[in-house]
Each structure stands twice: as C-alpha cells, then as structure tokens.
Amino acid sequence: TDAGGFDGVREALGSPIVRRWLIASSAGLAGLVAVQVHHVAAIEATGVSIGLASTMAGVRGLLSLPGRAAAGSVARRVGVVDALRLTYLTMTLGTLALAAGTVAWIWVFVLLTGLAFGSIAPLQGLYAAELYGERRIGTLMGMQQVVFGVAGAAGPLLLGLTIDWTGDYLTMLLLVAGLQIVALVSFRDPSRVSPPG
C-alpha cells in the first residue's frame, strides 16, 4: 500500500494480501501460543524432571529478550518479510527439535523457539505498519488484534485436544510445525502490491 493506506476495515479485508496476512499470521500464532501453553508439560513428558522442565522453560523465556532486541536489526538487514520468514523457520525447527524428545534436542528447542518467540511480535508490528499504511492504522491494528485473539485462544485448545486423543505430544508438535510452515510461505512483500483505490 502507499503511505496513506486503507480507508478502513472493509477496504483492507477486500485486499488479498491483507486476508493472506491475517490467515497466515493466525495460523502461526495458533501454533505459537499452543507451544507456549503446553511446552513445560511436553518437555516433562520426554522423561525429564519437572524441575529441569521448569528451568528449561525459564531459560526459553529469558532468550525471548535478545530475540526481541534483535528483531529491528534483522529486519533492517534482510527486510521485514524475510525476517518474518526466518523467524517462522526458526520456530518450526525448534518445535521439531522438541518432538525429537531427547534432552539435547530439547535444549535446541529452548534456544531456537526462545529467540523466535521474542522477535515475532515486533516483526508483526513492523509488517502490519507497512501493509496497512498510515491512514487508519489504529482501526486496522485493532481489527487485526481481534482476529489474532481468536487464533491465540483457539490454538492451545484445539491443538491440545490432540494430546487427549493420542496420549502424547507428538501430533500436536507436528501440527504446530505445519502451522508455522503455512505462515512461513504465505507472507508477501507489501511494497510489491498495488495501493488501494
């Protein structure tokens, strides 16, 4: 879009790139929040103690801080779209590492998804600002948060049901990785899209 951006929610939702962004980000967010909610139990299910699982979760949380701090720098170097793709790739690889189920691979999960988790929100904000333009940025970001709120709430519940159905975390983790891949391949560069109107 141009600097002016969309006139409102109806016009924005009429744009294929906005719809694609909302679907892709909702898929990625559903997986991301599902991991956030279930990861301590998933780590413990691999056979480690609850104490070690909690420690790993704490380290993962701390790693989100440098991930958040590095988001802007990475976006300046490679562009916001490629930075988002890199982040979703990192999250996918980290999730698959947890699915491997050994202590060494769990530490890979902690490292990769900790850094990726911290960078997602700033990068999504940068992308949304480029996509929506300045004209109705508050309204459109509000619309986006409604969509993301539904996805963030549904992800842990729906993906968590697979734990009850299968008796383990593997199916959930593979589905999460799949959702991250959907997000990874779905982003488009807003600068290459014709402005509205």
Side-chain angles (χ1 to χ4, degrees):
T1 66
D2 62 7
F6 296 97
D7 280 326
V9 171
R10 183 187 298 267
E11 184 181 64
L13 291 177
S15 168
I17 192 173
V18 171
R19 293 195 304 266
R20 190 181 191 111
W21 151 245
L22 291 173
I23 291 168
S25 293
S26 294
L29 186 65
L32 184 104
V33 178
V35 168
Q36 190 69 7
V37 169
H38 294 288
H39 74 282
V40 175
I43 292 171
E44 188 183 8
T46 65
V48 305
S49 68
I50 185 63
L52 180 56
S54 298
T55 299
M56 289 173 155
V59 172
R60 182 175 178 269
L62 287 174
L63 287 171
S64 70
L65 298 176
R68 181 175 292 271
S73 176
V74 173
R76 282 190 296 274
R77 287 177 179 270
V78 302
V80 175
V81 173
D82 284 339
L84 273 166
R85 289 174 178 154
L86 178 62
T87 299
Y88 281 112
L89 175 62
T90 303
M91 184 65 71
T92 302
L93 295 174
T95 302
L96 292 174
L98 178 55
T102 65
V103 172
W105 282 112
I106 295 169
W107 280 113
V108 173
F109 159 79
V110 167
L111 175 65
L112 294 182
T113 63
L115 293 170
F117 182 78
S119 64
I120 281 285
L123 289 173
Q124 285 180 334
L126 291 171
Y127 182 89
E130 284 188 14
L131 178 63
Y132 296 145
E134 300 172 358
R135 190 177 301 161
R136 298 293 300 280
I137 186 68
T139 299
L140 296 173
M141 291 290 282
M143 174 268 299
Q144 172 184 296
Q145 288 308 307
V146 171
V147 175
F148 287 2
V150 172
L157 173 62
L158 297 177
L159 292 168
L161 289 173
T162 67
I163 301 164
D164 296 335
W165 293 334
T166 64
D168 61 38
Y169 289 85
L170 180 60
T171 301
M172 184 200 78
L173 293 171
L174 294 177
L175 289 172
V176 166
L179 290 172
Q180 303 299 341
I181 291 170
V182 167
L184 165 69
V185 301
S186 297
F187 290 109
R188 294 294 179 266
D189 186 344
S191 68
R192 297 182 182 177
V193 179
S194 299

